Amino acid sequence: MEMTVKHSDEKSNVIRTSMGHLEMNEEEQSLRRDLTFFFMNPCDKYRARQQIPWKLGLQVLKIIMVTTQYHHLRNVSVGTLRYETNDDNITAMNICKHHYRKSKMSPSNETFSIDPTTETDCLSIPPMDPLKAKEVDWRMRNASFFAFDFYRLVRVEIAFNLQGVDLQTIHASELPDCYEFDIIITFDNQAHSGVVKIYFDSDTFIQDCDDWHVSGTVQKNTHCLLIFDAVVILICLTSLILCTRSIILAVKLQERFVKFFTKKYSQQVDRSDRLEFVNGWYILIIISDLMTISGSVMKMEISSKSLTSYDACSICLGSSTLLVWVGVIRYLGYFQKYNVLILTMQASFPKVLRFCCCAGMIYLGYTFCGWIVLGPYHEKFEDLTTAAECLFSLLNGDDMFGTFAEIQKKSNLVWLFSRLYLYSFISLFIYMVLSLFIALITDSYETIKKYQQNGFPVTDLHAFLEECNDLPDSETLGHKQEDSNQNPFICCCKRRGSGTGLLLIT
């Protein structure tokens, strides 16, 4: 009796073990098929499960519409200007001078006494006719205001308002737009170097035209543009949702693969295999969609004359246009002859980033040194930003002779230092740093070419996927091949895959 019970228990354990292996095999095959489908290109996905590549279609549509939308964004071009008027009276021009408190200075005796506290004096200048006696008297009474002591003067600001009419919209059956400009002209003498710098600043505000009449025009024809912008927002929002959904599904599939791999093989998944599930192109498209939506909303506000943020709108739409066009490279990467650029950039980016961090330390050292030593003697090194831009120009071989020639030979020591400084920087960065930078990229390119000829290194994820023998058009992964032939509108979907040489493109 005991032998019978023991035999029955052993049989039950064998059955449970067999069932467990069967469940494991089914789970493994299901995961392998899902992973294979996940890394397919849009054409193979269509052949496998009749899944229409909506994201591909949306990206092509976005290229056309976003580029067209940016073309519609125009700059403010004003053809008629006048001074601002209040109750038919022209507003006055304001002049303010900022200077140190009255002090004494005698350069001949090398003595001075000055209070660094800044005072401000302002004067309003009404429109006047210089030939009228009344206005001549006004100028004589205020002559002391225009007597500047330049050793005390810090800056002078001239502020006035202008009104203008934008006439370039008439040809589009739209009414002209009225604008107000707040103008400030600044004469900066803070450095007291004998050179007064002049700055011009203008703020623009849109206003409704009070009295207008244009023959043949009744109302502004902005409805079509607003509808166009709304369609762009809707398309980008759809693309944003689809890409976000794809990222979420990829994260879930990654967790599923890591859990299964750890359970079956008792080892952790490599970081490189985990990154295969992170699709950087989707992140790029999401950023592009967010910028396009923001720019489109601002453009609609500008069209309705409630916003004047032309710069912010153009930055959003221009950057989104750039990202949309760059995103097209993803679909070219599905073809082996076109994905060399993508693979080379992907392989060389970590090495180039580490190299730039090291070279950047040397570059910053030269920047600070040039700013500190050559700043008082060279216009291109007078501030930190200008010094960095000058060195970057020298790095690319631009304006070398002008940089050498403009150094002021007031100090022989500084002049000799400038030669040593410039020669060492040019020799180090052009002949060594830049050459090594190019060599890193060239080495990655040669490695990719070798991989394409001899095969890419096989990782755990690649080895796991290579055990899947189902073709993209097989019944196991999706619908039958006869079903896909009934939809010949995607020409590349008719091409049969070989089922070998799996290449992951994320």
Side-chain angles (χ1 to χ4, degrees), residues 14-27:
V14 172
I15 294 176
R16 283 195 296 267
T17 303
S18 301
M19 292 296 294
H21 286 298
L22 182 61
E23 293 177 358
M24 179 67 74
N25 290 333
E26 292 180 355
E27 179 183 1

PDB file of all heavy atoms in Angstrom, residues 14-27:
ATOM      1  N   VAL A  14       6.015  14.324 -11.437  1.00  0.00           N
ATOM      2  CA  VAL A  14       6.435  14.342 -12.836  1.00  0.00           C
ATOM      3  C   VAL A  14       5.450  15.121 -13.690  1.00  0.00           C
ATOM      4  O   VAL A  14       5.823  15.911 -14.564  1.00  0.00           O
ATOM      5  CB  VAL A  14       6.598  12.893 -13.356  1.00  0.00           C
ATOM      6  CG1 VAL A  14       6.832  12.904 -14.869  1.00  0.00           C
ATOM      7  CG2 VAL A  14       7.740  12.192 -12.634  1.00  0.00           C
ATOM      8  N   ILE A  15       4.151  14.894 -13.411  1.00  0.00           N
ATOM      9  CA  ILE A  15       3.117  15.611 -14.181  1.00  0.00           C
ATOM     10  C   ILE A  15       3.220  17.113 -13.939  1.00  0.00           C
ATOM     11  O   ILE A  15       3.144  17.932 -14.862  1.00  0.00           O
ATOM     12  CB  ILE A  15       1.726  15.083 -13.823  1.00  0.00           C
ATOM     13  CG1 ILE A  15       1.577  13.622 -14.294  1.00  0.00           C
ATOM     14  CG2 ILE A  15       0.648  15.951 -14.442  1.00  0.00           C
ATOM     15  CD1 ILE A  15       0.267  12.979 -13.887  1.00  0.00           C
ATOM     16  N   ARG A  16       3.414  17.498 -12.647  1.00  0.00           N
ATOM     17  CA  ARG A  16       3.510  18.925 -12.334  1.00  0.00           C
ATOM     18  C   ARG A  16       4.761  19.538 -12.977  1.00  0.00           C
ATOM     19  O   ARG A  16       4.731  20.658 -13.493  1.00  0.00           O
ATOM     20  CB  ARG A  16       3.538  19.115 -10.821  1.00  0.00           C
ATOM     21  CG  ARG A  16       2.174  18.959 -10.160  1.00  0.00           C
ATOM     22  CD  ARG A  16       2.199  19.515  -8.752  1.00  0.00           C
ATOM     23  NE  ARG A  16       3.116  18.752  -7.897  1.00  0.00           N
ATOM     24  CZ  ARG A  16       2.715  17.740  -7.149  1.00  0.00           C
ATOM     25  NH1 ARG A  16       1.443  17.366  -7.160  1.00  0.00           N
ATOM     26  NH2 ARG A  16       3.586  17.087  -6.400  1.00  0.00           N
ATOM     27  N   THR A  17       5.857  18.799 -12.956  1.00  0.00           N
ATOM     28  CA  THR A  17       7.087  19.301 -13.578  1.00  0.00           C
ATOM     29  C   THR A  17       6.906  19.474 -15.079  1.00  0.00           C
ATOM     30  O   THR A  17       7.323  20.471 -15.674  1.00  0.00           O
ATOM     31  CB  THR A  17       8.252  18.354 -13.294  1.00  0.00           C
ATOM     32  OG1 THR A  17       8.405  18.198 -11.874  1.00  0.00           O
ATOM     33  CG2 THR A  17       9.549  18.878 -13.879  1.00  0.00           C
ATOM     34  N   SER A  18       6.253  18.488 -15.695  1.00  0.00           N
ATOM     35  CA  SER A  18       6.000  18.571 -17.144  1.00  0.00           C
ATOM     36  C   SER A  18       5.090  19.743 -17.471  1.00  0.00           C
ATOM     37  O   SER A  18       5.311  20.464 -18.450  1.00  0.00           O
ATOM     38  CB  SER A  18       5.395  17.252 -17.641  1.00  0.00           C
ATOM     39  OG  SER A  18       6.258  16.165 -17.369  1.00  0.00           O
ATOM     40  N   MET A  19       4.046  19.918 -16.655  1.00  0.00           N
ATOM     41  CA  MET A  19       3.143  21.051 -16.872  1.00  0.00           C
ATOM     42  C   MET A  19       3.874  22.380 -16.702  1.00  0.00           C
ATOM     43  O   MET A  19       3.650  23.346 -17.433  1.00  0.00           O
ATOM     44  CB  MET A  19       1.967  20.954 -15.903  1.00  0.00           C
ATOM     45  CG  MET A  19       1.034  19.785 -16.173  1.00  0.00           C
ATOM     46  SD  MET A  19       0.209  19.920 -17.770  1.00  0.00           S
ATOM     47  CE  MET A  19      -0.796  21.380 -17.471  1.00  0.00           C
ATOM     48  N   GLY A  20       4.782  22.411 -15.688  1.00  0.00           N
ATOM     49  CA  GLY A  20       5.541  23.648 -15.492  1.00  0.00           C
ATOM     50  C   GLY A  20       6.425  23.966 -16.667  1.00  0.00           C
ATOM     51  O   GLY A  20       6.516  25.107 -17.110  1.00  0.00           O
ATOM     52  N   HIS A  21       7.115  22.913 -17.199  1.00  0.00           N
ATOM     53  CA  HIS A  21       7.946  23.135 -18.381  1.00  0.00           C
ATOM     54  C   HIS A  21       7.108  23.549 -19.575  1.00  0.00           C
ATOM     55  O   HIS A  21       7.528  24.394 -20.383  1.00  0.00           O
ATOM     56  CB  HIS A  21       8.741  21.866 -18.707  1.00  0.00           C
ATOM     57  CG  HIS A  21       9.874  21.617 -17.768  1.00  0.00           C
ATOM     58  ND1 HIS A  21      10.930  22.479 -17.616  1.00  0.00           N
ATOM     59  CD2 HIS A  21      10.105  20.579 -16.903  1.00  0.00           C
ATOM     60  CE1 HIS A  21      11.785  22.011 -16.717  1.00  0.00           C
ATOM     61  NE2 HIS A  21      11.304  20.854 -16.259  1.00  0.00           N
ATOM     62  N   LEU A  22       5.911  22.963 -19.702  1.00  0.00           N
ATOM     63  CA  LEU A  22       5.039  23.315 -20.822  1.00  0.00           C
ATOM     64  C   LEU A  22       4.597  24.764 -20.719  1.00  0.00           C
ATOM     65  O   LEU A  22       4.608  25.509 -21.705  1.00  0.00           O
ATOM     66  CB  LEU A  22       3.824  22.373 -20.851  1.00  0.00           C
ATOM     67  CG  LEU A  22       2.833  22.594 -21.993  1.00  0.00           C
ATOM     68  CD1 LEU A  22       3.524  22.397 -23.342  1.00  0.00           C
ATOM     69  CD2 LEU A  22       1.637  21.647 -21.855  1.00  0.00           C
ATOM     70  N   GLU A  23       4.209  25.187 -19.498  1.00  0.00           N
ATOM     71  CA  GLU A  23       3.813  26.591 -19.305  1.00  0.00           C
ATOM     72  C   GLU A  23       4.980  27.540 -19.576  1.00  0.00           C
ATOM     73  O   GLU A  23       4.818  28.599 -20.164  1.00  0.00           O
ATOM     74  CB  GLU A  23       3.268  26.780 -17.899  1.00  0.00           C
ATOM     75  CG  GLU A  23       1.948  26.058 -17.644  1.00  0.00           C
ATOM     76  CD  GLU A  23       1.496  26.225 -16.199  1.00  0.00           C
ATOM     77  OE1 GLU A  23       2.235  26.859 -15.424  1.00  0.00           O
ATOM     78  OE2 GLU A  23       0.409  25.708 -15.861  1.00  0.00           O
ATOM     79  N   MET A  24       6.183  27.105 -19.117  1.00  0.00           N
ATOM     80  CA  MET A  24       7.363  27.929 -19.353  1.00  0.00           C
ATOM     81  C   MET A  24       7.650  28.057 -20.836  1.00  0.00           C
ATOM     82  O   MET A  24       7.968  29.144 -21.334  1.00  0.00           O
ATOM     83  CB  MET A  24       8.564  27.321 -18.619  1.00  0.00           C
ATOM     84  CG  MET A  24       9.883  28.086 -18.812  1.00  0.00           C
ATOM     85  SD  MET A  24       9.849  29.724 -18.044  1.00  0.00           S
ATOM     86  CE  MET A  24       9.988  29.226 -16.311  1.00  0.00           C
ATOM     87  N   ASN A  25       7.523  26.950 -21.579  1.00  0.00           N
ATOM     88  CA  ASN A  25       7.766  26.991 -23.014  1.00  0.00           C
ATOM     89  C   ASN A  25       6.744  27.872 -23.720  1.00  0.00           C
ATOM     90  O   ASN A  25       7.084  28.629 -24.628  1.00  0.00           O
ATOM     91  CB  ASN A  25       7.742  25.579 -23.597  1.00  0.00           C
ATOM     92  CG  ASN A  25       8.945  24.764 -23.144  1.00  0.00           C
ATOM     93  OD1 ASN A  25       9.994  25.320 -22.839  1.00  0.00           O
ATOM     94  ND2 ASN A  25       8.781  23.443 -23.093  1.00  0.00           N
ATOM     95  N   GLU A  26       5.486  27.764 -23.320  1.00  0.00           N
ATOM     96  CA  GLU A  26       4.467  28.621 -23.919  1.00  0.00           C
ATOM     97  C   GLU A  26       4.718  30.089 -23.613  1.00  0.00           C
ATOM     98  O   GLU A  26       4.572  30.960 -24.486  1.00  0.00           O
ATOM     99  CB  GLU A  26       3.088  28.191 -23.413  1.00  0.00           C
ATOM    100  CG  GLU A  26       2.637  26.823 -23.921  1.00  0.00           C
ATOM    101  CD  GLU A  26       1.274  26.454 -23.381  1.00  0.00           C
ATOM    102  OE1 GLU A  26       0.748  27.223 -22.549  1.00  0.00           O
ATOM    103  OE2 GLU A  26       0.750  25.396 -23.797  1.00  0.00           O
ATOM    104  N   GLU A  27       5.099  30.372 -22.364  1.00  0.00           N
ATOM    105  CA  GLU A  27       5.408  31.764 -21.994  1.00  0.00           C
ATOM    106  C   GLU A  27       6.620  32.270 -22.769  1.00  0.00           C
ATOM    107  O   GLU A  27       6.648  33.419 -23.237  1.00  0.00           O
ATOM    108  CB  GLU A  27       5.662  31.851 -20.493  1.00  0.00           C
ATOM    109  CG  GLU A  27       6.007  33.262 -20.021  1.00  0.00           C
ATOM    110  CD  GLU A  27       6.330  33.291 -18.543  1.00  0.00           C
ATOM    111  OE1 GLU A  27       6.295  32.222 -17.898  1.00  0.00           O
ATOM    112  OE2 GLU A  27       6.643  34.389 -18.040  1.00  0.00           O
TER     113      GLU A  27
END
